[in-house]
């Protein structure tokens, strides 16, 4: 599992997808989530604005991430 560090209370699913280069822009998030199976805490999600908090798990394909709050992390 890959640790994905955030330096704020939360990050949206759309921001997460962009930060991990699954999409090129925030506008692509809606279509990406409709066409691909992305899971947050083992539940399929299609909302690009879904808030991800410390301890949440995100998976797409074989990639699995753990959201970790780190106030020193760069955004």
């Amino acid at each position: 599992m890959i640790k994905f560090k955030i330096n704020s209370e939360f990050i949206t699913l759309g921001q997460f997808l962009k930060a991990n280069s699954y999409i090129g822009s925030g506008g692509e998030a809606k279509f990406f989530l409709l066409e691909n199976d992305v899971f947050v805490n083992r539940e399929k999600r299609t909302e690009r604005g879904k808030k991800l908090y410390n301890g949440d798990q995100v998976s797409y394909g074989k990639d699995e991430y753990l959201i970790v709050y780190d106030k020193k992390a760069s955004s």
Side-chain angles (χ1 to χ4, degrees):
M1 186 169 294
I2 303 164
K3 290 183 180 178
F4 182 83
K5 295 181 180 181
I6 60 173
N7 64 359
S8 59
E9 182 182 0
F10 66 86
I11 185 172
T12 66
L13 185 53
Q15 292 169 328
F16 171 85
L17 294 172
K18 185 176 177 193
N20 285 291
S21 301
Y22 291 115
I23 58 175
S25 70
E28 296 174 21
K30 179 179 179 179
F31 303 104
F32 182 88
L33 290 168
L34 290 174
E35 297 175 359
N36 296 279
D37 292 335
V38 177
F39 297 88
V40 176
N41 300 325
R42 299 188 188 125
E43 292 183 24
K44 185 176 183 323
R45 303 309 290 220
T46 59
E47 312 94 335
R48 64 183 175 194
K50 169 70 179 154
K51 293 178 181 176
L52 306 174
Y53 295 93
N54 183 56
D56 283 345
Q57 295 180 13
V58 180
S59 60
Y60 171 65
K62 294 181 181 181
D63 297 336
E64 294 185 8
Y65 298 87
L66 175 65
I67 306 299
V68 177
Y69 174 75
D70 181 354
K71 65 181 177 181
K72 297 176 189 171
S74 59
S75 44

